[in-house]
Amino acid sequence: MSLRETINQDLKEAMKAKDVKKRDALRLLTSAFKQIEVDERKELSDDDVIKIIQKQIKSRNDSAAQYKEADRLDLMEKELEEIACYEPYLPKQLSDDELSDALKTIITNVGAQSVKDMGKVMGAASKELAGRADGKRINECVKTLLS
């Protein structure tokens, strides 16, 4: 079963269980899928679905931070609940040690010597670690390893 089918099945189960929060969060996610399919006229692969979920999570994190600044904790909680609904569909995230080890290998393969070579490392790391580590985490770890 594809990731998209799993999400649709979970949406049906949330409807049957009258789990309004999960139902609404998954509906927003499926509408994002449909929007991309219509705009780009293509069938979404699991990788595409993961990228959309990551984009939605990033958007929700940004919104939650803004709501926190504005002292709107009720809206912040709603965003965090949606993130919690989306995270189970992502691949297992790498731990800091696993990320560091993977990046050390990539740095060796690319032949990076200093922070000037960061672009080469980031390009390779973004492709190899897609879905398993956030770009921001990768960036910070690469900076640490190359300095």
Side-chain angles (χ1 to χ4, degrees):
M1 185 183 298
S2 74
L3 185 56
R4 175 113 189 247
E5 292 169 344
T6 303
I7 292 170
N8 287 334
Q9 187 64 38
D10 289 351
L11 174 59
K12 289 176 188 174
E13 291 173 16
M15 292 165 123
K16 288 178 185 175
K18 299 191 182 350
D19 185 347
V20 176
K21 292 177 182 177
K22 185 172 184 177
R23 179 199 67 194
D24 291 347
L26 293 179
R27 277 186 177 165
L28 288 170
L29 196 56
T30 56
S31 70
F33 298 154
K34 289 176 186 169
Q35 182 69 43
I36 297 294
E37 285 179 332
V38 169
D39 289 349
E40 298 181 13
R41 293 187 174 110
K42 70 175 189 174
E43 184 89 16
L44 295 178
S45 67
D46 279 355
D47 289 338
D48 294 328
V49 170
I50 288 170
K51 287 177 187 172
I52 293 169
I53 294 171
Q54 288 174 324
K55 186 176 179 180
Q56 294 295 319
I57 288 176
K58 185 177 186 312
S59 173
R60 299 296 185 283
N61 276 325
D62 293 344
S63 296
Q66 290 176 353
Y67 289 140
K68 187 175 182 178
E69 278 181 31
D71 203 28
R72 291 294 311 265
L73 300 181
D74 55 329
L75 296 173
M76 182 188 80
E77 280 297 317
K78 184 177 186 287
E79 298 292 332
L80 295 177
E81 288 170 357
E82 287 180 9
I83 291 170
C85 289
Y86 298 161
E87 285 178 337
Y89 301 108
L90 293 176
K92 182 184 171 291
Q93 297 294 297
L94 295 174
S95 70
D96 290 338
D97 292 336
E98 291 169 332
L99 178 61
S100 180
D101 292 342
L103 288 173
K104 285 176 186 173
T105 304
I106 292 169
I107 288 169
T108 304
N109 292 344
V110 172
Q113 301 296 320
S114 67
V115 178
K116 290 180 182 178
D117 300 322
M118 191 164 170
K120 292 185 215 172
V121 177
M122 286 301 294
S126 296
K127 288 178 186 161
E128 191 172 318
L129 303 176
R132 297 185 299 150
D134 181 52
K136 187 176 181 181
R137 280 184 61 213
I138 294 172
N139 187 312
E140 290 170 357
C141 191
V142 168
K143 280 182 184 174
T144 303
L145 292 172
L146 290 178
S147 30

